[in-house]
Amino acid sequence: MAVETGEFLKADIFIGENATSHALLAAMQEHKLIHYHGHADFHSSNILEESVLKLNDGNVTVKKLFESPILQSPHITLVACKSGQQNLNIGDEPLGFFTALTVAGAGSVLGTLWELDDLYASSTFTESFYKDLGNGIRAGKNTFVLDLAIAHQKAVRAMRAREETKGLCYWAGIILYGSPWLLFNSDLQ
């Protein structure tokens, strides 16, 4: 699914040994749209150090995301189990991947509240979500506005329409956090 998504978005693809923490963090500095399809662990007891995105060369912690230079990625999709979980800490502020990425510069983040079925749920959602994003609204000669909220809604509807993913556990935990729109130039870079 990663190859198909990358080709559709005209994006760099990092799979296997090329899916490294360095590659992910560098891509977040350069690209306007990031899609991470992998594994995440969320640990509410020590969110900063133990909640991680798992990559080939090691993990990227929530703390590392907070400390990253300002990201150039207005939207980041994390198709990774529990990537949307947050915990309220001192001061009643939410803490998790979403908070770290928006503090670092992301305008919006899409993630999951619980584990997803990789065979049906994540692939059905991803295919539908990006297909709808491809129907962006032209806002100028080479500029498009993508409605992330509508793409999310249509992807959830597509999941609810399929026998394999119509159950609440497949689609209800996929959430969009932050800006519902994404503005970019037609080259998707």
Side-chain angles (χ1 to χ4, degrees):
M1 188 65 190
V3 173
E4 292 87 354
T5 301
E7 288 172 354
F8 177 77
L9 296 173
K10 300 177 185 125
D12 294 330
I13 304 167
F14 305 102
I15 298 173
E17 64 185 39
N18 294 324
T20 64
S21 56
H22 175 74
L24 178 65
L25 294 171
M28 289 179 177
Q29 299 297 312
E30 299 169 12
H31 298 284
K32 304 282 187 226
L33 183 62
I34 300 293
H35 177 92
Y36 172 79
H37 193 132
H39 298 284
D41 280 333
F42 181 82
H43 295 279
S44 60
S45 61
N46 186 359
I47 296 169
L48 292 176
E49 298 292 342
E50 294 180 13
S51 294
V52 297
L53 298 176
K54 295 182 173 187
L55 290 126
N56 189 51
D57 64 341
N59 299 329
V60 176
T61 64
V62 167
K63 182 178 180 182
K64 178 69 174 174
L65 294 171
F66 266 116
E67 293 172 345
S68 294
I70 299 297
L71 304 176
Q72 299 302 312
S73 305
H75 177 74
I76 299 173
T77 296
L78 301 175
V79 178
C81 297
K82 301 179 184 177
S83 58
Q85 286 189 2
Q86 300 202 81
N87 197 26
L88 294 179
N89 284 346
I90 299 172
D92 291 331
E93 297 298 325
L95 186 60
F97 295 108
F98 284 11
T99 305
L101 289 167
T102 54
V103 165
S108 61
V109 184
L110 189 141
T112 67
L113 293 175
W114 50 73
E115 294 180 12
L116 282 185
D117 170 72
D118 256 352
L119 182 60
Y120 296 113
S122 61
S123 60
T124 300
F125 180 86
T126 301
E127 181 181 324
S128 180
F129 181 76
Y130 287 111
K131 180 181 177 186
D132 194 73
L133 278 186
N135 299 323
I137 302 166
R138 187 174 296 277
K141 184 176 180 183
N142 293 319
T143 305
F144 292 83
V145 176
L146 304 182
D147 194 324
L148 299 165
I150 294 294
H152 176 260
Q153 179 188 46
K154 287 182 178 180
V156 166
R157 285 184 178 167
M159 293 177 76
R160 292 176 71 182
R162 285 188 64 174
E163 189 63 35
E164 301 90 354
T165 56
K166 71 179 181 181
L168 186 71
C169 64
Y170 292 103
W171 52 265
I174 303 171
I175 58 173
L176 177 64
Y177 182 87
S179 175
W181 299 288
L182 175 62
L183 176 69
F184 71 95
N185 292 327
S186 62
D187 62 4
L188 280 173
Q189 296 294 317

